[in-house]
Amino acid sequence: MFNRRQLVCLVVCLATGIGSSMSAHATTASVPTSSRHSQHILTVSGGRAGDAFGSAVAISKGVAVVGAPNRTVNGHPGQGAAYVFVKPSSGTWRDARLATVLTVGQGQAGDAFGLAVTVAGNTIAVAAPLVTSGSYKHEGAVYLFEKPSGGWSNIHHPTARLSPSDPAAGDLFGSSLASQADTIVVGSPG
């Protein structure tokens, strides 16, 4: 059904909840289930086995964010990426399209950008818990992306970077994320 170069994320939607269908940038597949649920698959072309596409997923008000923390970016294995899908305001999730792929320009191999993602209003937060800052190996960081006036397809760089206020090696800041309204909570188990 999907070739080796496609990344796949299965999305389950309650028929009475967020929508009755989800589509993909490259390929759409529906998987029949009970009358209360439908399953659809988000995919993107150009991925590689092991990118971990779908290890983190967040959805809010017509925006779905899918993390791929093992993706190679700019020759850096495991730097990671996050994919932003947008549902048209007059359409359904079946009409969703890939708006952009979020990355960090100064990212390094093994950062695991996209290991955790969340959406809070017009802000997407993407964690990179294995980022090393100075002498703090695996301190971690969370990158914020604010929706530009022209829409998500116009975002190319993070608008802010969150780091621990008392950094230490092994903090793993950003191992988990949650949000509600204008608040983002960051887990730091180290």
Side-chain angles (χ1 to χ4, degrees):
M1 180 187 321
F2 298 101
N3 68 41
R4 294 179 62 144
R5 305 279 303 158
Q6 292 175 318
L7 300 169
V8 179
C9 174
L10 178 65
V11 179
V12 178
C13 302
L14 294 174
T16 58
I18 55 177
S20 60
S21 63
M22 181 68 75
S23 75
H25 167 66
T27 306
T28 301
S30 297
V31 180
T33 60
S34 72
S35 61
R36 293 196 58 209
H37 299 88
S38 61
Q39 296 179 1
H40 301 279
I41 299 173
L42 291 171
T43 65
V44 292
S45 297
R48 297 180 187 269
D51 280 351
F53 178 82
S55 14
V57 178
I59 188 168
S60 178
K61 298 181 182 177
V63 176
V65 182
V66 180
N70 294 341
R71 176 156 179 187
T72 297
V73 176
N74 297 326
H76 300 131
Q79 179 180 328
Y83 296 81
V84 180
F85 293 86
V86 177
K87 176 180 74 89
S89 58
S90 61
T92 67
W93 278 106
R94 183 171 304 282
D95 304 314
R97 63 177 177 74
L98 179 64
T100 192
V101 179
L102 303 175
T103 61
V104 177
Q106 296 85 12
Q108 298 299 313
D111 282 349
F113 178 87
L115 188 66
V117 297
T118 192
V119 182
N122 286 327
T123 302
I124 292 173
V126 182
L130 299 180
V131 161
T132 296
S133 296
S135 62
Y136 301 122
K137 184 173 180 154
H138 298 156
E139 171 191 336
V142 174
Y143 297 88
L144 303 181
F145 297 84
E146 296 290 329
K147 180 181 176 185
S149 59
W152 286 112
S153 60
N154 294 320
I155 189 82
H156 302 292
H157 305 287
T159 52
R161 175 183 162 154
L162 305 177
S163 300
S165 57
D166 57 345
D171 278 344
L172 303 174
F173 184 80
S175 290
S176 59
L177 294 173
S179 63
Q180 184 175 5
D182 61 353
T183 303
I184 296 172
V185 180
V186 180
S188 184

